Amino acid sequence: MNTIPGDFDPIPSTRYRPSVGIGTLKQAMAEADALAVPVSAGAEPAEELGTDAAGLASAGFTAQRGQTLVRPTADGPVRVAVGTGTPDQVDTTLVRDLAAEFARAVPWHRRLAIEIPSRDVGISVSDYAQAATEGVLLARWRYFVGRDADRPLLESLLVVASDEQADEVAAGVQRGRVIAEAYCLGRDLSNCPASTLSAVRMAEVALEVGPPAGLEVEVFDKDQLIELGCGGLLGVNRGSVEPPRMIRLRYQPEQPTGRIALIGKGIMYDSGGISLKPSDESHAQMKNDMTGAAAVLASMTALRALGCTAAVTGYLMCTDNMPSGSALKLGDVLRMRNGTTVEVLNTDAEGRLVMADALALATEEPVDAIVDIATLTGACLRTFGVEIAGVMGNDRGVVEQLRRAGDAVDEPVWELPLHRSYRSQLDSPIADLTNMGGVNAGSITAALFLEEFVDGRPWAHVDIAGTAQLPQPRTWRNKGATGSGTKLLIEFALAFNRPASLP
């Protein structure tokens, strides 16, 4: 790898390890700097808040869903009232958001505590604890390599629970911590500058974090990719001084209940190649064009700890896309892993080229479902904005499982039609197909291109071009490259059922 002076660790979240545990209210009052106290609408707040409902109302706090109120105190931790609305309004999304808002409301406090309600609030105390843990840990994460970068923004999180709740709460806290740590890994990788995180370094990270998480990691270099016939990945890599890498990850439980292949686009930096992007804000974000690969790697590091029963194989297709004298040219024809030839009409439509090889490889092994995830099309960003990802697929069951997973973890996906009459836009006079359709329906024609390589297997494509970058922080989501898709893939794998369309 070509390095520059001052290169740094691409995964600084390995230093973000606040202590997380459960304890008593007495312990929180003695040790925490700030305490979050949930308040239900129409109910009197807990005594430790130091006021009653009338006092809160005088400050404009009525415990409506999503409200927060910071109450400084003369002694003990700052108290933060968090409104949960009525019990029927409480769900994990609300709890995660409120926990994040609490963490952001007291930015200078590094020892936080959050209470679990003693009464029924519509979800289990385990789910409540998991969501609260995720919210705090994700809100306090940051990617920063300047002065004082090693100074932690969070030293500890104490989840306050009664003795009767302790076992359930502990299980929820542990799940929340595992998921948050995986998500932070995905964020680290997506935010890391491309001069530091090349395809080679991405493979080194996978070898570093994969085996301790129970993953088998295989790295394929350029010569091996030539032997495999991965013409898409090799073609996109032509203009780069950095060699490509394909990284294959395997998670294999003892008695798998299903077999999933996850494919992540790993364009470490996307200049557009010969079809050079304009020098604008969007171009400046192109270190995040490997968010799909980051999400696959990050999600798979959590599977063993969460007890996933499905076998999962991940493919990370990694290279940058650069212009040079050897770069891929418009009009060139590539031969992909499955023998399909592709006429390249736009070198900035490179993600689908690298992913096509992996899709073909995934079909060569027994598999129940294939899911690819990529920052693929600006058309998807323009359709859904920055809070919703697009999804398309050839199997209703797989698409529906992704939709449910997204709703469960607050990474929503919305289905676009895989309208096959648009497939004719990919016809080429000299090859099997082109890599670009017309000016309209770009997200759909991109998915139709990918479908050419799944050989009829149950498959879905998730386009995270919009959700991969946020202009401002919002609840547990960070500003910048988001690591989008990590929680979605974790939940999809944990809840996976073989599609009904399979024999």
Side-chain angles (χ1 to χ4, degrees):
M1 173 183 169
N2 297 325
T3 60
I4 59 175
D7 270 353
F8 42 83
D9 182 1
I11 46 172
S13 70
T14 56
R15 301 190 300 274
Y16 178 52
R17 289 291 187 269
S19 66
V20 181
I22 63 171
T24 65
L25 178 60
K26 181 178 180 181
Q27 185 180 354
M29 297 295 280
E31 299 176 2
D33 299 324
L35 170 67
V37 181
V39 184
S40 293
E44 286 295 327
E47 182 180 338
E48 56 270 18
L49 201 52
T51 187
D52 58 12
L56 292 174
S58 69
F61 180 89
T62 56
Q64 297 305 304
R65 178 184 171 102
Q67 276 190 309
T68 60
L69 178 67
V70 179
R71 301 193 70 253
T73 57
D75 60 338
V78 170
R79 274 67 145 187
V80 181
V82 292
T84 60
T86 57
D88 62 299
Q89 293 179 305
V90 177
D91 55 24
T92 54
T93 294
L94 170 66
V95 175
R96 191 183 297 110
D97 287 353
L98 279 175
E101 295 289 5
F102 158 61
R104 295 191 190 281
V106 286
W108 308 114
H109 298 79
R110 288 172 167 75
R111 297 178 299 168
L112 305 184
I114 190 164
E115 283 193 44
I116 300 296
S118 57
R119 64 176 65 89
D120 176 42
V121 291
I123 61 174
S124 71
V125 294
S126 179
D127 288 346
Y128 197 109
Q130 175 182 333
T133 302
E134 288 180 30
V136 171
L137 294 182
L138 291 173
R140 281 298 179 93
W141 167 93
R142 68 171 179 171
Y143 189 94
F144 182 69
V145 296
R147 294 185 178 91
D148 296 326
D150 290 335
R151 185 185 183 200
L153 295 186
L154 180 66
E155 295 177 5
S156 64
L157 170 63
L158 186 70
V159 180
V160 177
S162 66
D163 290 342
E164 294 78 14
Q165 298 171 318
D167 289 344
E168 285 188 77
V169 169
V173 167
Q174 174 61 15
R175 289 197 306 273
R177 180 170 188 165
V178 168
I179 292 169
E181 288 180 356
Y183 211 97
C184 289
L185 171 60
R187 286 174 167 181
D188 281 355
L189 296 172
S190 301
N191 279 280
C192 187
S195 60
T196 294
L197 189 62
S198 66
V200 171
R201 184 68 181 102
M202 184 74 164
E204 293 171 353
V205 170
L207 288 167
E208 178 182 340
V209 303
L215 303 179
E216 175 189 333
V217 181
E218 299 174 89
V219 177
F220 297 81
D221 64 17
K222 185 173 183 177
D223 289 340
Q224 292 169 304
L225 290 168
I226 292 172
E227 290 180 13
L228 287 172
C230 291
L233 183 55
L234 290 164
V236 175
N237 182 251
R238 282 183 195 171
S240 179
V241 298
E242 299 283 357
R245 290 291 185 267
M246 181 178 78
I247 305 156
R248 184 161 62 193
L249 312 168
R250 293 190 190 276
Y251 167 75
Q252 184 71 28
E254 288 187 6
Q255 295 181 318
T257 55
R259 296 162 297 185
I260 304 169
L262 301 178
I263 293 160
K265 174 185 172 183
I267 302 299
M268 313 310 292
Y269 178 76
D270 183 18
S271 71
I274 294 296
S275 304
L276 192 67
K277 294 177 182 291
S279 183
D280 58 13
E281 183 180 3
S282 176
H283 191 160
Q285 297 171 359
M286 283 301 103
K287 66 182 182 181
N288 81 1
D289 210 21
M290 39 65 68
T291 299
V296 172
L297 173 57
S299 65
M300 290 186 66
T301 64
L303 298 182
R304 183 179 67 179
L306 297 173
C308 180
T309 60
V312 183
T313 302
Y315 295 85
L316 317 182
M317 307 303 285
C318 299
T319 179
D320 47 13
N321 181 28
M322 298 294 287
S324 75
S326 60
L328 189 66
K329 303 172 183 66
L330 278 67
D332 282 354
V333 174
L334 302 176
R335 186 178 299 277
M336 319 304 277
R337 163 67 183 180
N338 69 350
T340 299
T341 54
V342 177
E343 181 185 9
V344 177
L345 299 184
N346 188 326
T347 64
D348 197 24
E350 84 298 329
R352 65 201 69 183
L353 298 175
V354 305
M355 292 165 65
D357 288 329
L359 289 167
L361 284 166
T363 67
E364 296 172 15
E365 299 183 358
V367 67
D368 298 323
I370 301 172
V371 173
D372 72 70
I373 184 166
T375 47
L376 205 64
T377 64
C380 197
L381 166 62
R382 289 186 287 275
T383 300
F384 292 128
V386 298
E387 296 185 12
I388 302 171
V391 65
M392 287 157 276
N394 65 3
D395 188 277
R396 169 56 42 201
V398 176
V399 170
E400 181 60 19
Q401 288 186 59
L402 283 165
R403 187 197 63 77
R404 289 198 301 266
D407 289 347
V409 301
D410 197 20
E411 287 199 312
V413 299
W414 198 275
E415 186 177 8
L416 288 169
L418 201 64
H419 194 58
R420 289 187 173 84
S421 68
Y422 292 166
R423 167 60 181 80
S424 61
Q425 296 182 32
L426 300 173
D427 288 342
S428 165
I430 64 170
D432 293 310
L433 69 162
T434 68
N435 74 326
M436 279 289 289
V439 296
N440 298 317
S443 298
I444 296 172
T445 55
L448 288 167
F449 177 94
L450 295 174
E451 189 186 21
E452 293 288 316
F453 299 89
V454 301
D455 195 28
R457 304 299 199 280
W459 156 81
H461 157 64
V462 181
D463 192 332
I464 54 172
T467 58
Q469 189 86 17
L470 277 184
Q472 297 295 333
R474 187 177 71 81
T475 62
W476 57 271
R477 296 167 175 83
N478 62 300
K479 178 181 178 178
T482 62
S484 175
T486 300
K487 292 202 300 172
L488 172 72
L489 295 180
I490 291 173
E491 181 66 19
F492 173 77
L494 292 178
F496 179 70
N497 290 306
R498 294 182 76 250
S501 58
L502 291 173

